[in-house]
Amino acid sequence: MAHYGDYQHAIYGAGLSGVMPKLPVDFATLEARAAAAMPPSVLGYVQGGCGDEFTQRENADAFQRWGMVPRMMVDCTTRDLSIELLGTRYPTPLFMAPIGVTGLATQDGHGDLAAARAAAETGVPLMASTLSNDPLETVAGAMGDTPGFFQLYTPRDRDLAASIVARAEAAGYKAIVVTLDTWVTGWRPRDLNVANFPQLRGHVLTNYFCDPVFARMLARPVAEDPAAAVRQWAATFGKVLTWDDLPWLRSLTTLPIVLKGICHPDDARRAIDGGADAIYCSNHGGRQANGGIAAIDMLPGVVAASGVVPVLFDSGVRSGSDVVKALALGARAVGVGRPYIYGLALDGAAGCAHVLRCILAEADLMMAVNGYPDLAAVRTAGATRR
């Protein structure tokens, strides 16, 4: 049986013929290489966080405060990283978290399609963002047999929201993931210092511009007056969601509803009581609020409050060991963000697939060495805060 950790054998084997990896396998070197290759405007948006970026740094650094105890003399020659999530079986617990400038990460401006092709190649689902350079339908088609999820920035106009959700359901996405913490943009100095907000320049707005409901809001077609279309987008983006809106959101689709941005146990309980099918613990990677608490430190409380309802997680994940720690703390599935964007920037779909394979290989090998043959064993072992 092949294992994800076997990726290292392919690398070492190629090295015997003098072939070195095209891209690095560690996050620090990957980030440095990508920083040298990406346009400054895109790099600043991808790397930037809110305020002085303390929470963004804490998200990543906090993983070092959590540790796992290895167990010896356990037969881990066969490992199983598969999960069940919302009625579907997935080969791994990893997914690509939604990032609004994925489309800008590749030189051709079609990073969303490249990420979708990497999903098709690796079996790692893509959580496609509403903010995209390609229509959500085209992105779904590029995923092949790998399921995908659709992340929704809920518009103020209810008809537009219903249209986008209906399109996502028709396109075959497996769930609607509603982002709760981005009805207004957080204070992001890197972007503010260069007065750069990609959406206001007309980028990653294709899902709006190709929507029939949005088209009816415009006096002229997008191609004839793109500036007016951007202004209409700005006037439409960002509905303030309250608990009273949950029944309406639930009514838009038969797909599972996942609420993204839940960090407090009480909010998890209320979301479940209101009909949410899954909870997504995340603080937006520290991009929206500089509150100081790492998302991984809030995960155990959210998991405990959610009971049998699955909890997804992201924020600060940089490696396979980070993924395993989040799973040990109760996450059902774990999202990675910046690393796969850097892979896209350096080598398109192939670079993205390489990054995903590296993360999975490290996670798989950590489980093998530590005596965890499957994710049930990981959850039983748990993680201890130092």
Side-chain angles (χ1 to χ4, degrees), residues 14 69 84 100 135 141 144 158 167 175 181 185 196 214 226 238 250 263 272 283 318 329 342 352 354:
V69 179
E84 187 278 329
R158 287 196 166 198
R167 288 169 53 203
D181 63 357
T185 304
N196 175 57
F214 187 85
R250 178 68 279 170
C263 293
I272 293 166
N283 62 13
R318 302 289 184 263
L329 292 174
Y342 294 149
C352 182
H354 166 79

Side-chain angles (χ1 to χ4, degrees), residues 78-325:
T78 298
R79 276 100 57 202
D80 182 5
L81 275 70
S82 66
I83 64 166
E84 187 278 329
L85 178 64
L86 300 173
T88 300
R89 197 77 190 171
Y90 296 90
T92 81
L94 188 66
F95 66 91
M96 285 181 272
I99 297 178
V101 289
T102 301
L104 301 178
T106 55
Q107 293 185 8
D108 65 0
H110 294 286
D112 304 291
L113 294 182
R117 290 195 296 271
E121 184 176 341
T122 63
V124 175
L126 171 66
M127 192 173 285
S129 175
T130 304
L131 297 172
S132 170
N133 268 354
D134 286 283
L136 62 90
E137 294 87 353
T138 308
V139 174
M143 295 183 203
D145 294 332
T146 299
F149 310 99
F150 184 75
Q151 174 270 337
L152 178 69
Y153 286 121
T154 311
R156 298 178 192 179
D157 185 275
R158 287 196 166 198
D159 290 338
L160 178 57
S163 178
I164 293 174
V165 169
R167 288 169 53 203
E169 184 166 355
Y173 290 94
K174 292 295 186 181
I176 303 297
V177 181
V178 183
T179 295
L180 304 176
D181 63 357
T182 314
W183 59 272
V184 65
T185 304
W187 184 257
R188 302 174 187 171
R190 292 201 205 195
D191 297 328
L192 290 163
N193 285 337
V194 293
N196 175 57
F197 193 72
Q199 293 87 328
L200 294 180
R201 299 171 186 266
H203 298 301
V204 300
L205 300 182
T206 298
N207 280 325
Y208 300 89
F209 290 175
C210 71
D211 192 275
V213 173
F214 187 85
R216 292 197 293 268
M217 298 178 179
L218 304 176
R220 290 188 290 171
V222 174
E224 295 181 11
D225 194 349
V230 171
R231 289 194 296 271
Q232 182 60 52
W233 169 80
T236 305
F237 183 84
K239 176 175 174 56
V240 179
L241 292 170
T242 70
W243 294 113
D244 292 337
D245 292 308
L246 192 48
W248 165 69
L249 287 169
R250 178 68 279 170
S251 74
L252 295 179
T253 181
T254 61
L255 292 175
I257 293 286
V258 183
L259 295 187
K260 179 178 184 289
I262 300 290
C263 293
H264 195 289
D266 289 349
D267 286 347
R269 282 185 281 265
R270 190 162 186 179
I272 293 166
D273 289 344
D277 298 286
I279 301 300
Y280 192 151
C281 179
S282 167
N283 62 13
H284 216 111
R287 289 178 57 75
Q288 278 295 88
N290 198 32
I293 300 176
I296 191 66
D297 291 341
M298 296 183 282
L299 176 61
V302 171
V303 169
S306 298
V308 298
V309 173
V311 175
L312 288 70
F313 173 82
D314 76 18
S315 297
V317 175
R318 302 289 184 263
S319 67
S321 63
D322 291 345
V323 171
V324 176
K325 289 177 184 180

Side-chain angles (χ1 to χ4, degrees), residues 21-40:
K22 186 175 182 180
L23 298 184
V25 303
D26 66 292
F27 176 75
T29 311
L30 178 74
E31 183 174 46
R33 285 270 300 275
M38 296 174 75

Side-chain angles (χ1 to χ4, degrees), residues 31-72:
E31 183 174 46
R33 285 270 300 275
M38 296 174 75
S41 60
V42 179
L43 178 66
Y45 192 92
V46 169
Q47 288 189 330
C50 188
D52 68 359
E53 300 180 356
F54 173 79
T55 297
Q56 178 172 280
R57 294 189 299 274
E58 274 286 285
N59 277 334
D61 293 346
F63 280 93
Q64 299 178 24
R65 297 195 293 266
W66 290 93
M68 301 185 68
V69 179
R71 302 302 301 270
M72 294 297 101

